[in-house]
C-alpha cells in the first residue's frame, strides 16, 4: 500500500516519509522471517540514514515534482514484461518455507552444523559474513569507502574560517532555542554511543556487528550536528581526521588479510592469528568488525557533513550574489 | 608469495586506494597509482604465463574451500582479461598527470587517483573471482567509482551523464542480483563451478530460464549492447578524457567477459543456445548495433561522441562472434576484445592530447590540425585504419577471424554485412582525416603546439602495439585459442 | 499456492521499477530504486525461511534454523544500496546547482539548447 502511494504522490516530503515507513515495514517483515540481522540493518539504514539523506537533499532541491507530460505507456509495458517473466519464473520455485528446498540442502547445512566448531561464534550470520565469506564483506567495506570518496569528490568545499566571536554569538543564540530538546538529547547521546559499542562487540553472540554499530554511532553524531549546528560540530569533529579514519578502517581489514598472507596462510584466513585456530577466528572476526565499524561510521559522517556543508556553501554564495548584483552569472 | 598471486592481483590496487588518501600532493598520488598499476601488470603477466603452462589456478580466500568459501579461479580466459585491463590502465596512467592537472581542480586530484585505483581493482575483482555473488560486490565497486569519475568532467553535462549511468547501471546490477538469487534458489550454491555442475539437473525449470534471462539483460545493460546503449555516448563524451580512455578500453570488455563466463561456464552451451533462440537474437542485435551505431557516428559533430558510437558498433562485432559460438567465433570475439582495447586506448588518449592543446574535440576545431599536431594526428589516423580493419593493423586480424568464423558456419550474408559495416567506419574516419588534413584552420587561432611528450609517449606505445600485434599474432592468437578451447571443455 | 509470498514481492519490485523508469524527478527515481532493491532483499530473505525455523543464532534445544547465507548476502546488498543512494543524491545536488532543476525533461531541454 505504501508503495502505491509513493507512485502517486507529487510532494516529495511525505514521499520520503513513506519510503522510510516502507523500509521499516520491510524490516518488520524480515523479523517475521527470522532474519534479525538483516532487519536491524534495514531499520538503521533504510528507515534511518537514507531517509535523513533524502531529507537533506530536498531542502536543497525543492520539494515538489512537476507533472509528467509524456504518457508512460512504454514504461508500463517494460514493467509488465519484467514482472510477468518473474512470475513465470516463480512457478517452478520450491514452496515457500519448505525445508526440502535446494537452498537448505546444499552449502548452508555446513554453516549451521559445523560453524560452532570451526569458527566458534554463536551467531551463524556473523561467522558466514566475517569468515566463510569474509572477502565479500571486505568488498562491501570498499564499496562504502568508494561512496564516501565519491561524495567527497562531488560535493566537498573548502570550509571558510570561522571567527571565535561568531561562534560565541552563535552559541549564545543556540542557548535560547529548543533548550529542552538540546538538553534531553545531550543526555541521550552517551547512551546511544554506548549502545553502538555494545552492538559492535556483541555481534558474535546476538544480532549486530560492525556495520550496524557504525550506522548507530554515526547517527549519534549526526543528531548532535543537527541540534548544535554545523559550525560547532566541525569544531568537535575534525574533517580530515574522519577521512583518515575511513581509510584506516579499510586498511585494518585488509591488513588482517595481509598478516595471514605473511604467515603462509591464504588471504583472510584468521586461524593463524592465535595459537588455537578457533581463537584465531574469533580474534580475526572481532578485528575486522572493528574495521567495518570505523569505516562505516566515518563514511556516514563524511556523507552527511558534505551534504550539509554544500547547503551552507550555497547559502553563502547566494548571500554574496545578492550583495553585489553586478557580478551575476 | 607466488602462490598468492591471484589475490594479490586484486588486493594490491584495492589496498593502495585508501593508502593514496595519505598522499595529499597530487604528483605523489599519481606516481603511487602508476607504480601500483604497473605492479598489477607484472602480476598479471606472471599469472598468464603460469596458467598457460600449468592450467587453472584456484585460490581459496579465507582458507575455506569452495563452495563454502569464495574462490578465485584463474583460467586462460580471465588471465587474458586481467592482462588487458592492467596493461591499458598502466599506459593510460602514464598520461594521466599532465591531462588531469588541466582538467580537474587541484584539491580533487588525489581523490581522482583513489577512485581510479578502486575502479581498476573492482574490474580485476569481477574478472578473477569464481563466485557469482562476489561478482556483484566487485561490480558495484567498479561502477560506483565509475559514476564518480565520470561526474568529475568539466562540462555540467558530465553530471547528467553520470546520473543516467548510475540509474541504468544500478538497474542492471539489480537485475543481475535477481538472477543470481534465482539460481541460488534452485541449486543452493553461489560458486560458478559448482553451479555449472548442479544447474543441468534443474535446467528445464522455468525459474532457471528466468534467472538466465535476468542475468543476460543485466549484463547487456552494463555492456551497452544496442538498444541498451543510451547511457554510453554522453558518459564517454563528457567524462575527463583520461577516464574515457580507460573505460572505453576496459569497462565494456569486462561486461563481455561476464556474458561469456555466464553463458559458457555457468549455464553451459547446450542450455544457453538450445533453450532460447539466443543465437539469432544476439546475431540480429549485433548486426543492427553495428549499422545503427556506425551510421550515427557519421553524423556526430563531437569527435568523442563519434568514437563512442563507434565503440557501440565494435561491441556489435564482438557479439556477432559470440553468437557464432564456435571456437573460431569466440576467438574472434576475444581477439577483437584485445584489439579494440588497443585501438580505442590509442584513439581516446590521442584525443586527450588534442583537448590538452585546443580544449575542444568539436570536429570543426580539427581543421588543419594534421599540420599543427602531426604526431598526434598520425596516431589518430593509424588508430582509425585499425578500426576499419586495414591489413598490418590489429583490426584486420580480428575482422579476419570473425569472417572466417561466420563463413565456417555458412552464414555468407553475415560476412557481407560485416564488410559493409567496415565501409561505414571508412566514412566516419574519413571525416576526421578530411578536416585534419584538407581543411584550413579556423581563423583567429594562434599557432598550436604538438601535444606534450608525456601524452604522446603512451599514445605511440599503443599505436606501435596496434601495428606489432597486427603483424606478429602469435601471442594473441595462442592465448585466445587456449581460452576459447578451455570454454568448450577442451584442455589447452 | 505456496508462491503467493513471492508474487507480492514481485508486485512491490515492479512498482519500484516503474517509478525509476516512468518518473522524471531525479529524487523520486532514487526513491524508486530503493524500493526496487528493498523488494529484491525480501525475495532473498523469503528463500531463506524454513517452516518452524528460528533465527540463525545458536541456542540450546533448537535444531531448525533459517538459512543464514541469504541473510549475509542481503546485509552486503543493503550496504551497496545505501552507497548507491548516497552517490545518486550527491549527483542530484550537483545537477540542481548546475541546471537549476531536477526534472529530467527540463534538463534534456537545456542540454539541447547548448548544442
Amino acid at each position: 500500500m505504501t508503495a502505491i502511494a509513493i507512485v502517486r504522490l507529487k510532494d516529495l516530503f511525505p514521499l520520503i516519509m513513506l519510503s522510510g515507513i516502507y523500509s521499516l515495514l520491510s524490516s518488520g517483515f524480515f523479523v517475521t522471517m527470522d532474519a534479525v540481522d538483516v532487519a536491524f540493518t534495514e531499520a538503521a539504514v533504510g528507515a534511518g540514514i537514507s531517509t535523513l539523506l533524502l531529507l537533506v537533499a530536498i531542502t536543497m532541491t525543492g520539494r515538489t515534482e512537476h507533472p509528467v507530460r509524456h504518457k508512460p505507456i512504454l514504461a508500463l509495458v517494460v514493467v509488465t514484461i519484467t514482472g510477468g517473466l518473474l512470475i513465470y519464473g516463480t512457478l517452478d520455485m520450491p514452496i515457500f518455507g519448505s525445508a526440502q528446498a535446494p537452498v537448505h540442502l546444499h552449502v548452508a547445512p555446513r554453516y549451521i552444523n559445523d560453524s560452532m566448531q570451526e569458527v566458534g561464534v554463536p551467531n551463524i550470520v556473523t561467522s558466514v559474513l566475517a569468515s566463510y565469506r569474509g572477502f565479500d564483506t571486505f568488498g562491501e567495506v570498499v564499496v562504502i569507502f568508494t561512496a564516501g570518496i565519491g561524495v567527497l569528490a562531488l560535493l566537498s568545499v573548502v570550509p571558510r574560517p570561522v571567527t571565535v566571536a561568531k561562534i560565541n554569538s552563535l552559541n549564545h543564540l543556540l542557548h535560547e532555542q529548543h533548550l529542552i530538546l538540546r538538553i534531553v538529547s545531550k543526555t541521550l547521546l552517551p547512551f546511544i554511543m554506548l549502545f553502538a559499542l555494545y552492538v559492535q562487540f556483541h555481534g558474535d553472540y546476538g544480532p549486530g556487528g560492525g556495520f550496524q554499530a557504525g550506522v548507530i554511532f554515526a547517527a549519534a553524531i549526526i543528531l548532535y550536528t543537527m541540534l548544535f549546528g554545523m559550525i560547532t560540530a566541525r569544531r568537535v569533529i575534525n574533517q580530515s581526521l574522519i577521512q583518515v579514519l575511513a581509510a584506516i578502517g579499510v586498511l585494518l581489514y585488509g591488513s588482517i588479510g595481509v598478516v595471514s598472507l605473511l604467515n603462509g596462510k591464504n588471504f583472510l584466513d584468521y586461524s593463524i592469528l592465535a595459537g588455537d585456530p578457533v581463537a584465531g577466528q574469533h580474534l580475526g572476526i572481532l578485528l575486522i568488525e572493528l574495521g567495518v565499524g570505523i569505516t562505516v561510521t566515518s563514511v556516514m559522517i563524511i556523507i552527511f557533513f558534505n551534504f550539509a556543508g554544500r547547503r551552507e556553501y550555497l547559502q553563502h554564495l547566494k548571500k554574496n550574489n545578492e550583495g553585489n548584483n553586478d557580478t551575476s552569472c | 608469495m607466488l602462490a598468492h598471486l591471484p589475490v594479490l592481483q586484486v588486493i594490491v590496487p584495492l589496498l593502495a586506494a585508501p593508502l593514496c588518501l595519505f598522499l595529499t600532493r597530487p604528483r605523489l598520488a599519481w606516481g603511487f597509482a602508476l607504480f601500483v598499476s604497473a605492479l598489477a601488470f607484472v602480476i598479471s603477466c606472471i599469472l598468464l604465463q603460469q596458467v598457460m603452462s600449468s592450467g587453472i589456478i584456484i585460490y581459496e580466500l579465507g582458507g575455506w574451500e569452495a563452495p563454502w568459501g569464495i574462490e578465485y579461479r584463474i583460467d586462460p580466459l580471465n588471465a587474458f582479461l586481467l592482462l588487458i585491463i592492467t596493461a591499458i590502465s598502466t599506459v593510460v596512467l602514464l598520461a594521466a598527470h599532465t591531462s588531469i592537472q588541466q582538467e580537474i581542480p587541484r584539491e580533487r586530484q588525489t581523490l581522482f587517483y583513489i577512485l581510479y585505483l578502486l575502479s581498476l581493482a573492482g574490474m580485476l575483482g569481477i574478472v578473477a573471482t569464481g563466485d557469482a555473488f562476489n561478482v556483484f560486490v566487485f561490480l558495484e565497486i567498479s561502477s560506483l567509482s565509475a559514476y564518480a569519475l565520470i561526474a568529475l568532467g568539466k562540462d555540467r553535462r558530465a553530471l547528467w551523464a553520470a546520473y543516467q549511468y548510475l540509474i541504468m547501471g544500478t538497474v542492471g546490477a539489480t537485475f543481475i542480483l535477481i538472477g543470481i538469487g534465482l539460481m541460488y534458489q534452485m541449486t543452493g550454491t553461489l560458486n560458478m563451478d559448482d553451479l555449472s555442475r548442479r544447474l543441468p539437473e534443474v535446467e528445464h525449470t522455468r525459474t532457471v530460464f528466468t534467472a538466465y534471462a535476468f542475468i543476460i539483460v543485466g549484463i547487456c545493460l552494463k555492456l551497452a549492447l544496442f538498444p541498451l546503449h543510451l547511457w554510453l555516448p554522453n558518459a564517454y563524451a563528457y567524462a575527463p578524457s583520461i577516464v574515457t580512455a580507460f573505460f572505453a578500453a576496459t569497462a565494456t570488455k569486462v561486461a563481455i567477459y561476464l556474458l561469456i563466463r555466464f553463458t559458457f561456464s555457468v549455464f553451459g552451451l547446450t542450455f544457453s543456445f538450445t533453450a532460447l533462440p539466443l543465437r539469432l537474437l544476439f546475431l540480429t542485435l549485433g548486426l543492427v548495433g553495428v549499422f545503427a551505431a556506425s551510421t550515427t557516428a557519421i553524423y556526430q559533430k563531437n569527435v568523442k561522441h563519434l568514437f563512442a558510437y563507434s565503440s557501440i558498433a565494435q561491441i556489435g562485432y564482438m557479439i556477432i562472434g559470440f553468437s557464432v559460438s564456435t571456437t573460431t567465433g569466440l576467438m574472434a570475439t576475444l581477439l577483437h576484445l584485445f584489439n579494440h582495447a588497443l585501438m580505442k586506448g590509442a584513439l581516446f588518449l590521442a584525443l586527450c592530447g588534442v583537448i590538452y592543446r585546443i580544449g575542444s574535440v568539436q570536429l570543426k576545431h580539427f581543421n588543419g590540425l594534421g599540420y599543427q599536431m602531426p604526431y598526434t594526428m598520425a596516431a589518430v589516423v593509424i588508430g582509425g585504419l585499425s578500426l576499419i580493419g586495414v591489413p598490418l593493423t590489429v583490426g584486420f586480424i580480428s575482422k579476419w577471424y570473425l569472417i572466417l568464423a561466420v563463413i565456417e558456419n555458412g552464414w555468407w550474408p553475415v560476412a557481407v554485412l560485416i564488410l559493409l559495416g567496415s565501409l561505414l567506419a571508412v566514412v566516419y574516419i574519413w571525416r576526421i582525416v578530411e578536416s585534419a588534413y584538407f581543411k584550413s584552420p579556423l581563423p583567429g587561432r594562434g599557432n598550436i603546439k604538438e601535444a606534450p611528450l608525456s601524452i604522446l609517449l603512451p599514445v605511440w606505445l599503443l599505436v606501435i602495439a596496434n601495428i606489432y600485434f597486427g603483424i606478429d599474432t602469435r601471442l594473441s592468437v595462442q592465448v585466445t585459442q587456449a581460452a576459447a578451447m578451455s570454454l568448450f571443455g577442451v584442455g589447452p | 499456492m505456496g508462491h503467493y509470498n513471492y508474487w507480492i514481492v514481485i508486485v512491490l519490485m515492479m512498482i519500484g521499477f516503474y517509478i525509476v523508469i516512468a518518473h522524471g524527478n531525479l529524487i523520486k527515481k532514487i526513491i524508486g530504486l530503493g524500493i526496487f532493491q528493498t523488494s529484491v532483499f525480501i525475495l532473498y530473505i523469503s528463500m531463506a525461511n524454513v517452516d518452524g525455523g528460528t533465527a540463525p543464532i545458536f541456542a540450546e534445544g533448537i535444531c531448525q534454523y533459517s538459512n543464514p547465507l541469504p541473510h549475509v548476502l542481503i546485509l552486503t546488498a543493503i550496504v551497496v544500496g545505501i552507497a548507491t543512494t548516497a552517490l545518486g543524491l550527491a549527483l542530484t545536488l550537483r545537477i540542481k546547482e548546475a541546471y537549476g532543476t531536477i526534472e529530467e525533461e527540463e534538463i534534456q531541454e537545456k542540454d539541447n539548447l547548448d548544442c
Side-chain angles (χ1 to χ4, degrees):
Chain A
M1 276 313 288
T2 323
I4 295 171
I6 292 176
V7 186
R8 303 303 314 166
L9 272 174
K10 295 276 183 240
D11 190 337
L12 291 171
F13 181 73
L15 192 72
I16 290 166
M17 286 301 145
L18 280 179
S19 86
I21 291 170
Y22 179 76
S23 284
L24 212 57
L25 284 178
S26 48
S27 86
F29 197 57
F30 293 146
V31 173
T32 62
M33 290 199 287
D34 305 324
V36 278
D37 274 285
V38 179
F40 195 169
T41 315
E42 177 66 34
V45 170
I49 294 286
S50 85
T51 310
L52 198 67
L53 287 181
L54 283 165
L55 285 177
V56 180
I58 60 163
T59 56
M60 281 175 270
T61 56
R63 51 183 276 186
T64 44
E65 183 194 17
H66 295 230
V68 191
R69 264 166 279 168
H70 59 89
K71 288 256 159 64
I73 291 174
L74 183 68
L76 263 182
V77 173
V78 173
V79 168
T80 320
I81 292 175
T82 329
L85 183 63
L86 266 175
I87 299 230
Y88 172 77
T90 60
L91 295 180
D92 280 335
M93 276 183 185
I95 302 293
F96 175 70
S98 154
Q100 294 309 311
V103 273
H104 304 307
L105 299 179
H106 191 50
V107 182
R110 169 161 172 188
Y111 299 143
I112 294 175
N113 299 326
D114 301 340
S115 71
M116 201 59 196
Q117 286 84 49
E118 290 177 343
V119 183
V121 169
N123 186 349
I124 309 174
V125 172
T126 304
S127 56
V128 179
L129 181 91
S131 186
Y132 292 101
R133 297 188 67 89
F135 195 64
D136 263 354
T137 310
F138 183 47
E140 165 196 330
V141 179
V142 178
V143 168
I144 275 288
F145 178 71
T146 311
I149 297 293
V151 169
L152 263 183
L154 285 171
L155 297 181
S156 68
V157 283
V158 186
R160 287 164 293 120
V162 188
T163 55
V164 182
K166 197 173 171 193
I167 292 168
N168 287 339
S169 72
L170 199 82
N171 278 344
H172 191 68
L173 196 79
L174 284 177
H175 280 300
E176 287 158 13
Q177 298 172 349
H178 310 297
L179 196 62
I180 298 171
L181 199 61
R182 261 169 231 287
I183 291 172
V184 170
S185 52
K186 214 168 185 175
T187 44
L188 265 178
L189 272 178
F191 292 105
I192 298 179
M193 291 191 172
L194 205 63
F195 179 59
L197 288 177
Y198 170 78
V199 171
Q200 168 82 52
F201 294 107
H202 201 255
D204 333 356
Y205 301 101
F211 187 73
Q212 293 91 332
V215 171
I216 297 171
F217 208 87
I221 291 173
I222 290 172
L223 179 70
Y224 178 81
T225 316
M226 284 166 96
L227 286 168
F228 294 88
M230 280 295 289
I231 297 171
T232 342
R234 252 202 214 107
R235 281 176 65 218
V236 180
I237 298 146
N238 186 322
Q239 288 274 305
S240 43
L241 179 72
I242 288 289
Q243 290 177 23
V244 167
L245 275 178
I248 282 181
V250 179
L251 289 173
L252 176 64
Y253 201 142
S255 59
I256 304 287
V258 174
V259 167
S260 35
L261 264 189
L262 293 177
N263 283 311
K265 285 285 191 169
N266 280 1
F267 188 67
L268 293 180
D269 189 340
Y270 314 130
S271 48
I272 201 72
L273 297 177
D276 173 33
V278 174
Q281 288 284 349
H282 207 137
L283 179 65
I285 290 177
L286 259 177
L287 287 173
I288 63 130
E289 289 274 21
L290 188 63
V292 176
I294 294 175
T295 300
V296 169
T297 312
S298 7
V299 168
M300 292 298 154
I301 295 172
I302 289 178
I303 292 174
F304 181 80
F305 267 40
N306 279 293
F307 271 54
R310 194 77 186 181
R311 179 157 160 249
E312 213 175 41
Y313 169 73
L314 287 182
Q315 283 164 350
H316 176 73
L317 276 189
K318 215 182 201 171
K319 222 180 282 168
N320 275 8
N321 274 354
E322 277 161 10
N324 38 0
N325 272 330
D326 43 4
T327 55
S328 64
C329 55
Chain B
M1 254 358 223
L2 225 53
H4 295 298
L5 283 182
V7 73
L8 285 178
Q9 175 81 84
V10 178
I11 58 165
V12 165
L14 207 57
L15 286 177
L19 276 178
C20 223
L21 195 63
F22 296 99
L23 306 169
T24 38
R25 285 184 49 207
R27 203 182 179 83
L28 273 179
W30 169 68
F32 184 63
L34 183 61
F35 169 73
V36 166
S37 176
L39 191 62
F41 175 61
V42 172
I43 294 176
S44 74
C45 288
I46 304 174
L47 268 181
L48 182 66
Q49 193 262 330
Q50 276 184 348
V51 169
M52 291 303 284
S53 59
S54 56
I56 295 172
I57 305 171
I58 290 173
Y59 187 87
E60 288 156 353
L61 287 152
W64 300 109
E65 68 272 40
W68 294 278
I70 296 168
E71 68 170 5
Y72 269 9
R73 196 183 179 82
I74 313 286
D75 63 4
L77 175 63
N78 49 19
F80 183 54
L81 259 290
L82 292 174
L83 183 78
I84 297 178
I85 297 169
T86 49
I88 293 290
S89 145
T90 311
V91 176
V92 167
L93 267 179
L94 276 177
H97 187 59
T98 318
S99 170
I100 287 308
Q101 239 180 353
Q102 197 195 34
E103 287 187 34
I104 293 177
R106 192 182 156 80
E107 71 270 13
R108 305 236 157 111
Q109 284 175 12
T110 304
L111 295 176
F112 169 87
Y113 292 112
I114 299 176
L115 289 168
Y116 187 97
L117 283 175
L118 286 170
S119 183
L120 171 66
M123 285 196 243
L124 295 175
I126 299 171
V127 174
T129 189
D131 187 281
F133 192 79
N134 203 231
V135 167
F136 170 75
V137 175
F138 278 84
L139 188 69
E140 286 297 329
I141 296 180
S142 77
S143 315
L144 283 179
S145 44
Y147 310 144
L149 281 174
I150 290 170
L152 282 174
K154 257 182 177 173
D155 198 304
R156 69 174 180 184
R157 278 171 288 189
L159 295 170
W160 179 228
Y163 182 88
Q164 284 177 308
Y165 184 24
L166 182 132
I167 294 290
M168 297 284 262
T170 310
V171 169
T174 312
F175 270 44
I176 295 175
L177 190 64
I178 296 174
I180 293 172
L182 295 179
M183 278 199 310
Y184 173 68
Q185 188 169 28
M186 296 313 285
T187 59
T189 182
L190 289 164
N191 181 272
M192 288 183 187
D193 195 40
D194 202 24
L195 274 171
S196 72
R197 266 180 271 118
R198 298 178 67 92
L199 272 173
E201 291 168 29
V202 287
E203 71 177 10
H204 54 275
T205 56
R206 287 168 278 198
T207 312
V208 171
F209 168 79
T210 311
Y212 183 68
F214 269 87
I215 289 184
I216 293 300
V217 173
I219 294 174
C220 287
L221 263 170
K222 287 273 175 192
L223 179 59
L225 178 64
F226 186 87
L228 301 173
H229 65 280
L230 294 169
W231 58 267
L232 187 138
N234 282 336
Y236 278 14
Y238 302 119
S241 11
I242 284 293
V243 174
T244 315
F246 181 46
F247 284 163
T250 55
T252 48
K253 312 295 177 288
V254 172
I256 293 256
Y257 162 80
L258 278 182
L259 188 65
I260 295 176
R261 180 60 84 201
F262 273 104
T263 309
F264 284 86
S265 308
V266 177
F267 284 92
L269 195 59
T270 39
F271 170 78
S272 310
F273 285 102
T274 51
L276 302 165
L278 259 191
R279 182 171 289 179
L280 192 65
L281 183 73
F282 274 128
L283 181 66
T284 323
L285 287 181
L287 279 174
V288 174
V290 167
F291 279 92
S294 302
T295 321
T296 322
I298 294 174
Y299 294 103
Q300 294 307 311
K301 291 184 193 119
N302 178 322
V303 181
K304 261 182 150 182
H305 262 141
L306 189 155
F307 284 136
Y309 277 107
S310 140
S311 280
I312 298 169
Q314 305 302 317
I315 290 165
Y317 288 118
M318 292 177 213
I319 291 297
I320 295 173
F322 171 77
S323 72
V324 178
S325 67
T326 58
T327 323
T328 329
L330 262 190
M331 270 179 73
T333 301
L334 293 176
L335 276 172
H336 201 49
L337 212 121
F338 175 65
N339 298 343
H340 183 243
L342 293 181
M343 307 172 206
K344 279 286 151 63
L347 286 170
F348 276 116
L349 265 189
L351 291 188
C352 221
V354 173
I355 289 187
Y356 186 78
R357 281 300 179 217
I358 65 177
S360 151
V361 280
Q362 294 296 323
L363 196 59
K364 58 175 186 249
H365 292 147
F366 269 59
N367 289 358
L369 218 55
Y371 303 102
Q372 291 161 321
M373 302 175 73
Y375 293 109
T376 312
M377 289 320 287
V380 171
V381 171
I382 296 175
L385 288 178
S386 190
L387 208 53
I388 298 167
V390 174
L392 296 184
T393 60
V394 281
F396 175 70
I397 308 295
S398 32
K399 288 267 167 69
W400 173 261
Y401 274 91
L402 187 59
I403 289 177
L404 213 63
V406 174
I407 290 175
E408 255 178 25
N409 257 27
W411 296 353
W412 283 95
V414 179
V416 175
L417 287 174
I418 292 173
L419 287 176
L420 279 177
S422 303
L423 283 182
L424 289 176
V426 174
V427 178
Y428 60 71
I429 296 298
W430 174 251
R431 289 191 64 216
I432 301 174
V433 174
E434 189 191 17
S435 33
Y437 289 95
F438 299 101
K439 283 187 181 165
S440 50
L442 292 179
R445 228 172 36 179
N447 54 337
I448 291 158
K449 275 187 283 183
E450 182 55 77
L453 197 64
S454 53
I455 293 179
L456 215 51
L457 191 75
V459 170
W460 275 90
L461 217 58
L462 285 173
V463 169
I464 290 167
N466 260 299
I467 297 170
Y468 177 79
F469 288 107
I471 297 169
D472 179 8
T473 57
R474 276 172 305 183
L475 176 74
S476 49
V477 169
Q478 190 199 354
V479 175
T480 48
Q481 197 165 22
M485 277 165 64
S486 76
L487 286 174
F488 280 97
V490 194
Chain C
M1 276 318 288
H3 292 127
Y4 73 96
N5 196 322
Y6 295 122
W7 295 342
I8 296 171
V9 172
I10 290 167
V11 170
L12 291 176
M13 216 185 269
M14 289 308 118
I15 292 173
F17 189 36
Y18 176 78
I19 299 176
V20 176
I21 51 182
H23 280 267
N25 185 291
L26 303 193
I27 293 215
K28 198 154 174 182
K29 269 175 190 284
I30 289 175
I31 294 177
L33 214 51
I35 293 175
F36 186 30
Q37 287 177 326
T38 312
S39 320
V40 178
F41 304 161
I42 303 179
L43 175 77
Y44 268 73
I45 299 300
S46 305
M47 290 176 204
N49 196 30
V50 185
D51 285 335
T54 59
I57 297 173
F58 278 111
E60 291 292 319
I62 290 173
C63 52
Q64 185 76 287
Y65 296 102
S66 277
N67 188 341
L69 187 52
H71 297 184
V72 172
L73 304 182
I74 290 317
L75 279 176
T76 309
I78 291 176
V79 178
V80 170
I82 180 75
T84 316
T85 308
L87 203 61
L89 285 176
L91 274 171
T92 313
L93 295 187
R94 288 287 305 276
I95 288 175
K96 170 75 178 176
E97 283 169 34
Y99 286 88
T101 172
I102 52 163
E103 297 294 327
E104 190 173 3
E105 288 177 3
E106 291 169 23
I107 296 172
Q108 297 284 23
E109 276 166 25
K110 290 194 178 182
D111 265 358
N112 292 342
L113 282 179
D114 279 0
C115 283

